[in-house]
């Protein structure tokens, strides 16, 4: 094995990392566009219910965007460690780097970032994705990483989560992530149904659908936690150990589930105890105006009435003054 310009010839240069996830950017852009549209039409909403109308849609869009966003996020479980480790195979050269592990529903990302970024005449900044969804092949992605000559820390972490690893966590994570993703898709459908029911003024059933959304969202967290509670295999880099904990997507899903639960319970309780106040919140309390409108078209009520089944003289029915002809 010979060197070529100070590096092994079968190692490519560091891949440039895109600054953000394009799928999540598209989701956020779509929901922000809908929110901006509602802000534009907000002045056209009459009365004092304008603020409540806007608040309802902001909360609804937040829940929908959060449920859809965590489907494609890669930070359900994250961990970082700073260590001095070998950079390439067949080389005794060590580098100081930050090594990150990011576990999502669709796969795992392994990050290697030099500290500093430029060392041994190279830019050390890698972020490799290894999918494990049912439509992807984790072992093939790992084999491609071997052929590309990825840095040793990335291959070491990816091997720990592979199917052949003695850690035996690949199957648990894969199944739990698959069913958690399926549960979140169902939660997104129930959220969409609740928004349609609220727009049609069917408040009680909309509250029930929000409760179902909360149940599915929280159940997805239980599914993912079941995989994380399995036995862990230590990921050691010398004396340093890479440990993971729940990431931003996990806590965002928990917050969304609790918010859906509180809103659903509040709607159901108000519908049972104070339905008029619930109608006021949803800008449906127009009964007084409708009664006035209906009464304007009704004939004048008679000043006296007769009892059913009793015949009384005409003079005793009502007393009044008449004009003699």
């Amino acid at each position: 094995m010979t060197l070529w310009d100070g590096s092994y010839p079968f190692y490519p240069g560091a891949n440039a990392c895109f600054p953000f996830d394009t799928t999540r950017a598209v989701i956020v852009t779509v929901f922000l566009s809908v929110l901006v549209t509602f802000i534009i039409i907000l002045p056209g909403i009459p009365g004092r219910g304008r603020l409540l109308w806007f608040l309802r849609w902001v909360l609804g869009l937040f829940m929908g965007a959060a449920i859809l966003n965590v489907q494609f996020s890669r930070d359900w479980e994250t961990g970082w460690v700073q260590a001095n480790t070998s950079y390439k195979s067949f080389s005794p050269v060590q580098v100081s780097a930050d090594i990150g592990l990011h576990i999502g529903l669709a796969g795992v990302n392994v990050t290697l970032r030099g500290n500093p970024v430029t060392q041994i005449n190279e830019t050390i900044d890698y972020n490799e994705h290894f999918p494990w969804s049912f439509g992807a092949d984790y072992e093939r992605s790992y084999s491609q990483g071997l052929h590309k000559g990825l840095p040793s820390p990335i291959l070491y972490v990816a091997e720990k989560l592979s199917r052949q690893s003695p850690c035996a966590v690949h199957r648990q994570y894969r199944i739990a992530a698959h069913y958690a993703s399926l549960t979140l898709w169902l939660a997104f459908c129930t959220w969409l149904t609740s928004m349609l029911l609220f727009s049609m003024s069917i408040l009680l059933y909309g509250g029930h659908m929000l409760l179902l959304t909360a149940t599915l969202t929280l159940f997805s967290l239980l599914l993912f936690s079941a995989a994380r509670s399995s036995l862990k295999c230590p990921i050691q880099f010398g004396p340093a150990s890479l440990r993971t904990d729940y990431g931003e997507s996990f806590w965002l899903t928990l917050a969304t589930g609790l918010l859906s639960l509180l809103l659903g319970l509040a709607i159901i309780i108000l519908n049972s105890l104070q339905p008029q106040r619930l109608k006021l919140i949803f800008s449906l309390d127009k009964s007084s105006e409708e009664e006035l409108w209906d009464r304007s078209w009704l004939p004048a009520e008679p000043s006296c009435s007769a009892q059913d089944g009793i015949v009384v003289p005409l003079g005793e029915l009502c007393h009044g003054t008449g004009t003699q002809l």
Side-chain angles (χ1 to χ4, degrees):
M1 194 72 62
T2 59
L3 295 175
W4 182 263
D5 292 334
S7 64
Y8 291 95
F10 52 84
Y11 284 107
N15 296 328
C17 298
F18 205 66
F20 54 86
D21 190 348
T22 55
T23 304
R24 300 177 67 180
V26 170
I27 294 173
V28 173
T29 301
V30 170
F31 278 88
L32 285 180
S33 301
V34 177
L35 180 60
V36 170
T37 303
F38 288 152
I39 294 176
I40 293 175
I41 67 176
L42 184 62
I45 305 299
R48 58 183 180 180
R50 181 183 308 165
L51 181 60
L52 292 175
W53 180 87
F54 181 69
L55 182 61
R56 291 198 312 268
W57 279 107
V58 167
L59 292 176
L61 290 176
F62 169 77
M63 290 186 293
I67 294 174
L68 192 60
N69 194 20
V70 296
Q71 283 278 3
F72 306 97
S73 62
R74 300 172 182 176
D75 53 356
W76 278 71
E77 187 177 346
T78 59
W80 286 91
V81 65
Q82 183 177 0
N84 294 324
T85 179
S86 60
Y87 180 52
K88 297 177 180 179
S89 303
F90 312 109
S91 174
V93 178
Q94 290 193 346
V95 296
S96 176
D98 296 326
I99 306 163
L101 175 61
H102 314 278
I103 299 176
L105 300 182
V108 58
N109 274 53
V110 184
T111 303
L112 178 66
R113 187 178 304 155
N115 189 14
V117 177
T118 303
Q119 298 182 48
I120 59 173
N121 297 326
E122 290 189 22
T123 301
I124 305 175
D125 191 6
Y126 288 85
N127 184 16
E128 297 294 330
H129 179 64
F130 301 92
W132 57 29
S133 58
F134 283 161
D137 190 351
Y138 186 94
E139 305 303 325
R140 181 181 179 184
S141 300
Y142 177 72
S143 299
Q144 290 177 350
L146 287 173
H147 288 298
K148 289 192 301 183
L150 292 178
S152 297
I154 295 180
L155 295 176
Y156 170 69
V157 176
E159 183 184 6
K160 288 289 186 178
L161 297 173
S162 64
R163 187 177 302 170
Q164 287 78 20
S165 173
C167 298
V169 296
H170 176 85
R171 184 173 180 271
Q172 288 86 340
Y173 269 113
R174 185 182 183 186
I175 295 177
H178 174 76
Y179 285 106
S181 177
L182 180 60
T183 306
L184 285 175
W185 278 119
L186 292 177
F188 181 77
C189 293
T190 55
W191 166 83
L192 189 60
T193 305
S194 67
M195 292 295 103
L196 292 176
L197 291 175
F198 288 143
S199 64
M200 297 169 61
S201 303
I202 308 177
L203 306 182
L204 181 59
Y205 290 104
H208 287 310
M209 295 307 294
L210 272 184
L211 281 183
L212 183 56
T213 301
T215 303
L216 292 171
T217 304
L218 297 177
F219 185 65
S220 67
L221 298 177
L222 293 178
L223 290 174
F224 186 81
S225 300
R228 190 179 183 275
S229 62
S230 59
L231 295 176
K232 297 294 179 179
C233 192
I235 304 177
Q236 293 289 142
F237 293 93
S241 177
L242 177 58
R243 301 181 182 274
T244 59
D245 201 353
Y246 292 123
E248 297 179 359
S249 294
F250 183 90
W251 298 116
L252 178 60
T253 307
L254 178 61
T256 305
L258 294 178
L259 179 61
S260 302
L261 180 63
L262 292 177
L263 292 178
L265 289 176
I267 290 173
I268 294 175
I269 293 174
L270 284 178
N271 185 79
S272 301
L273 300 180
Q274 297 181 350
Q276 295 301 324
R277 180 169 296 183
L278 180 62
K279 292 181 179 180
L280 178 63
I281 294 176
F282 282 85
S283 304
L284 299 177
D285 191 13
K286 301 179 181 179
S287 57
S288 59
E289 297 179 2
E290 292 178 356
E291 291 176 1
L292 292 175
W293 176 262
D294 294 338
R295 288 178 181 178
S296 64
W297 290 94
L298 292 176
E301 296 181 357
S303 59
C304 55
S305 60
Q307 296 180 359
D308 295 339
I310 300 178
V311 180
V312 296
L314 182 60
E316 297 179 2
L317 181 62
C318 57
H319 299 280
T321 59
T323 304
Q324 297 182 357
L325 298 176

